[in-house]
Amino acid sequence: MPFSTMERWSFHPEDGRLAHDSGRFFSIEGLHVRTNFGWRRDWIQPIIVQPEIGFLGLIVREFDGVLHALVQAKAEPGNINAVQLSPTLQATRSNYTRVHNGAHVPFIEYFNGTRPHRPLVDVLQSEQGSWFLRKRNRNMVVEVFEDPPEHPNCRWLTLAQLRAMLRYDNVVNMDLRSVLACIPTRVEPDAVGRVLDGLSEGSFETRLLRSFVGAGTPVHNMNTLLSWISDVRTTREFVQRTRPLADIDRSGWIRRDDGIEHEDKKYFSIFGVSVTTGHREVRSWMQPLLSPANHGMLALLVKEIDGTLHALVHLRTEAGGHDVAELAATVHCQPDNYTDVPEEHRPTYLDYVLDVPRTRIRYDAWHSEEGGRFYRNENRYMLVEVPEDFDDGGAPDHRWMTFGQITDLLAHSHYVNIQLRSLVACASAVYNRATA
Amino acid sequence: MPFSTMERWSFHPEDGRLAHDSGRFFSIEGLHVRTNFGWRRDWIQPIIVQPEIGFLGLIVREFDGVLHALVQAKAEPGNINAVQLSPTLQATRSNYTRVHNGAHVPFIEYFNGTRPHRPLVDVLQSEQGSWFLRKRNRNMVVEVFEDPPEHPNCRWLTLAQLRAMLRYDNVVNMDLRSVLACIPTRVEPDAVGRVLDGLSEGSFETRLLRSFVGAGTPVHNMNTLLSWISDVRTTREFVQRTRPLADIDRSGWIRRDDGIEHEDKKYFSIFGVSVTTGHREVRSWMQPLLSPANHGMLALLVKEIDGTLHALVHLRTEAGGHDVAELAATVHCQPDNYTDVPEEHRPTYLDYVLDVPRTRIRYDAWHSEEGGRFYRNENRYMLVEVPEDFDDGGAPDHRWMTFGQITDLLAHSHYVNIQLRSLVACASAVYNRATA
């Protein structure tokens, strides 16, 4: 629907940002980025500004010695399949902190200290830096020791069942993938022990699980990896400055009442939608959604090095990132954005992945991003095993890390971006075939 | 000197920021802060904006089994004592990355990979959030295995000698204190072993060292502490937005050609200075400096809990902070800013520290902050040991942590603020009395 007919949303008289009249939720603003590297070094783009930190909470409990997660079936306006599996609780800070003033948020008492719980994971993690300015969500997993109340949209699944769901397209939503990735594999010592004792050392699943639990020797120790990250963050020039929305015109963006899009039909567009649902406190509302112009390719190359499986991670800078660079998939791009880009600026390994033989593919599924902000944004997530003699010279911004090292960094904020977190969850779906 | 006579500095025609004509160095801008807690919840203030990440590098080397640091005697325009001890190398990114285009930066080859080195510390750390907008510096310690060239301003000191210097006022500069704090105590196992074996368990120095090396049991495990930090960062509303400089007038700031100051004579002022030196590539220049209105009090309470020494840290939010809150000293304020503030908004434990008996004081010295940006900003740094029955109820934003836990978090960015890093370095000067 046209912006001019969106109830309660309007363009701010001072800087032109598209915002809700309450000042809450989020706004669409201009962002000027200046860098000293890459193909484009100076541009202005529209971006979603949402300073409030949201809350993604998963309740887990042991039944008969097996860890189960309480998963919610949740609808979002931009979802593919309408309903996807999500964490037990997705809440804004307003829901979380002012529970006594508003409607009851189911299960909130297991996260705010009212009911007994043990925190397994509690960390702020960034979301899509190309589309959000410094957006973070709190990823939290709590173990409870009593039965929470039943809820019609929630079911208990074992972690193995939940991981098995990741083998299907568009079933597990982005928020749940992110939370799953943050759970250290070592929290399930029994299952891990069974696998490592009982199965052939040589299967991909077993080698992957060994990499997750820190068996074997990484090619780089953690001090060296942290030093590499600090070096890249220091030497890359990266200046972000919010701008009046009208300034995006200078970089080829077209603003019309029915939407904002780029003149090359690349990147993404933004438009208004009207939403009606029977399942929320508010049953209908209007909001802008961001719709990427084409699908993304998120591929992680993995390789056995001296008997330990490693993943090739990329230190990637994104326009709205909270820090200069975060660890990302080996290949992370919307391939169609690069059709007219000079050969030397095509993403490293993109052409390799596009043509990779099927026998090297260890995981391949389509998942969609947060349906509350993005309209049907579907991306291809792949794990590709390359041979030990694979040539990885000449890629200075990539490093081999074990899955255990990536998981260790997930205890802290802003090391691992949202798409790589999804791939870590997908990888757990692969080793899961061995443990389940 | 008046702003209007500062060569190469001017007020930007669009948003009024005070900036260098080259667009480099830093600028003075307006910052709007909105929060949902504390005494002031909505204000606009001047702030130093310096997106470029600087470089603080310390070279260490073992001679006869003892670790030595190569320390520089360095002058800065705002320094008390003119010359203070600083890291081997203090450089801007421009120095660091474009060494071949400009003058040679002494010792740079030990940090950029040209000469062999082993990274011991390499982490981006925040600086004064009340005065800088999201400013970070790269704190780096490298061990070298050959003799670097001699330099007239540099000398080798043992870490013990360097720590001993911290017992004197205004000798070790802020940058060197920050880098020192990031060196894990366990890198000197021999000295530690000697102390822990040989000395009385009861002395304060020994108990402090035990807390640094992780002996004993912390009252909170790391998962619980990280969960507390995530909780505070999520529930505190904290929105930063840069504004035209003229908007600071709305919050009581007065802009004149000879400086910017607050109508209450509180907080700080900003004025221009002309600098002449014989020791730099550029021998004279003009620049703005920020001058705090009064001295600061940085006090860390420490207490023995079940046989392990803990420090009482505060999760403190600062206007220009990179994240919502960082760990800070128990008391961190400019006391004179609070003379007319309602009793309930006076900083917790400030009055206790101002009246504390001398017998409880374990460390007490004056140190100054970065003389390249701040004019003679001297602060009182104290360690105060409180009895085991000390009443610490009713301070929800404080927690007891061991020095080992604080040091572990120093491996990552944005957990420990610059003043608490100074206090960690000061604490190492105290246990140093036992090891030296």
Side-chain angles (χ1 to χ4, degrees), chain A residues 93 122 136 227 323 412 415, chain B residues 122 136 227 234 323 412 415:
Chain A
R93 185 182 50 224
D122 193 352
R136 288 100 59 77
S227 184
D323 211 324
H412 304 283
Y415 281 116
Chain B
D122 194 351
R136 288 101 57 79
S227 184
T234 306
D323 211 323
H412 305 283
Y415 281 116

Side-chain angles (χ1 to χ4, degrees), chain A residues 174-247:
Chain A
M174 177 189 97
D175 304 303
L176 185 50
R177 298 196 302 273
S178 173
V179 170
L180 268 178
C182 295
I183 303 178
T185 296
R186 63 178 171 274
V187 303
E188 303 161 276
D190 284 357
V192 170
R194 275 202 311 275
V195 170
L196 296 182
D197 293 345
L199 288 184
S200 146
E201 286 272 313
S203 81
F204 181 74
E205 290 78 3
T206 311
R207 290 185 286 126
L208 183 57
L209 183 56
R210 286 174 52 84
S211 179
F212 263 96
V213 297
T217 307
V219 288
H220 304 291
N221 68 29
M222 191 54 91
N223 248 17
T224 306
L225 291 168
L226 292 176
S227 184
W228 167 56
I229 294 170
S230 293
D231 186 58
V232 167
R233 286 178 172 173
T234 306
T235 53
R236 285 189 193 167
E237 181 172 49
F238 181 64
V239 182
Q240 303 161 313
R241 193 176 272 274
T242 53
R243 300 289 308 165
L245 187 61
D247 287 7

Side-chain angles (χ1 to χ4, degrees), chain B residues 103-400:
Chain B
H104 176 72
V105 177
F107 306 111
I108 188 77
E109 58 271 22
Y110 292 94
F111 295 94
N112 63 10
T114 310
R115 307 291 312 166
H117 71 270
R118 184 166 68 101
L120 298 181
V121 169
D122 194 351
V123 61
L124 305 187
Q125 296 288 7
S126 65
E127 301 202 344
Q128 285 81 358
S130 300
W131 304 326
F132 283 121
L133 180 60
R134 297 198 195 100
K135 164 92 185 295
R136 288 101 57 79
N137 267 328
R138 182 177 179 187
N139 286 242
M140 198 168 176
V141 179
V142 298
E143 184 177 3
V144 303
F145 307 98
E146 59 179 28
D147 277 332
E150 296 201 357
H151 190 282
N153 293 348
C154 291
R155 293 286 182 282
W156 289 105
L157 272 67
T158 66
L159 283 194
Q161 288 174 321
L162 178 49
R163 288 185 178 130
M165 294 291 185
L166 276 165
R167 307 195 58 81
Y168 301 97
D169 295 346
N170 298 308
V171 170
V172 178
N173 83 356
M174 178 189 96
D175 304 303
L176 185 51
R177 297 196 304 273
S178 173
V179 171
L180 268 178
C182 295
I183 303 178
T185 296
R186 63 178 170 275
V187 304
E188 305 162 275
D190 285 357
V192 170
R194 273 203 311 276
V195 170
L196 296 182
D197 292 346
L199 289 184
S200 145
E201 286 271 313
S203 81
F204 181 75
E205 290 79 1
T206 311
R207 290 184 287 128
L208 183 57
L209 183 57
R210 286 175 51 84
S211 180
F212 263 97
V213 298
T217 307
V219 288
H220 304 292
N221 68 28
M222 191 54 92
N223 248 17
T224 305
L225 291 167
L226 292 177
S227 184
W228 168 55
I229 294 170
S230 293
D231 186 58
V232 167
R233 286 178 172 174
T234 306
T235 53
R236 284 188 192 169
E237 181 172 49
F238 181 65
V239 182
Q240 303 161 313
R241 192 177 274 275
T242 54
R243 299 291 307 166
L245 188 60
D247 286 7
I248 64 174
D249 303 1
R250 295 189 214 161
S251 287
W253 292 87
I254 301 164
R255 291 176 297 132
R256 281 194 302 258
D257 193 33
D258 65 346
I260 296 170
E261 63 174 1
H262 195 266
E263 61 187 10
D264 296 339
K265 310 285 184 201
K266 282 184 178 182
Y267 313 120
F268 57 84
S269 59
I270 293 171
F271 46 75
V273 296
S274 170
V275 185
T276 306
T277 171
H279 300 285
R280 299 261 188 117
E281 190 185 341
V282 178
R283 284 169 173 267
S284 77
W285 70 90
M286 298 176 185
Q287 70 167 86
L289 282 179
L290 186 153
S291 174
N294 36 63
H295 75 82
M297 164 68 84
L298 291 313
L300 192 60
L301 301 192
V302 298
K303 184 170 91 162
E304 188 93 4
I305 305 175
D306 293 337
T308 303
L309 201 65
H310 287 70
L312 188 59
V313 296
H314 177 214
L315 255 181
R316 188 172 200 269
T317 295
E318 299 182 312
H322 200 276
D323 211 323
V324 177
E326 292 191 26
L327 300 175
T330 319
V331 175
H332 171 151
C333 67
Q334 295 179 23
D336 291 355
N337 287 350
Y338 290 90
T339 47
D340 60 347
V341 168
E343 183 67 24
E344 67 271 25
H345 290 301
R346 277 181 74 78
T348 314
Y349 305 117
L350 170 59
D351 294 322
Y352 176 82
V353 168
L354 290 174
D355 288 333
V356 75
R358 289 185 60 84
T359 54
R360 302 219 160 277
I361 298 175
R362 300 285 173 265
Y363 178 91
D364 193 359
W366 293 81
H367 295 297
S368 48
E369 309 304 310
E370 166 58 58
R373 294 292 171 271
F374 307 122
Y375 184 73
R376 300 185 175 217
N377 175 223
E378 213 181 8
N379 295 301
R380 185 175 181 189
Y381 286 89
M382 295 174 79
L383 292 182
V384 174
E385 188 178 14
V386 298
E388 293 200 42
D389 61 356
F390 177 79
D391 177 18
D392 55 3
D397 297 330
H398 288 74
R399 287 290 185 284
W400 293 104

Side-chain angles (χ1 to χ4, degrees), chain A residues 101-114:
Chain A
N101 301 341
H104 176 72
V105 178
F107 307 110
I108 189 75
E109 58 272 21
Y110 292 95
F111 295 94
N112 64 10
T114 311

Side-chain angles (χ1 to χ4, degrees), chain A residues 413-432:
Chain A
S413 301
H414 311 144
Y415 281 116
V416 181
N417 80 0
I418 175 77
Q419 294 89 348
L420 181 54
R421 295 203 301 282
S422 275
L423 278 165
V424 167
C426 296
S428 75
V430 175
Y431 77 61
N432 186 59

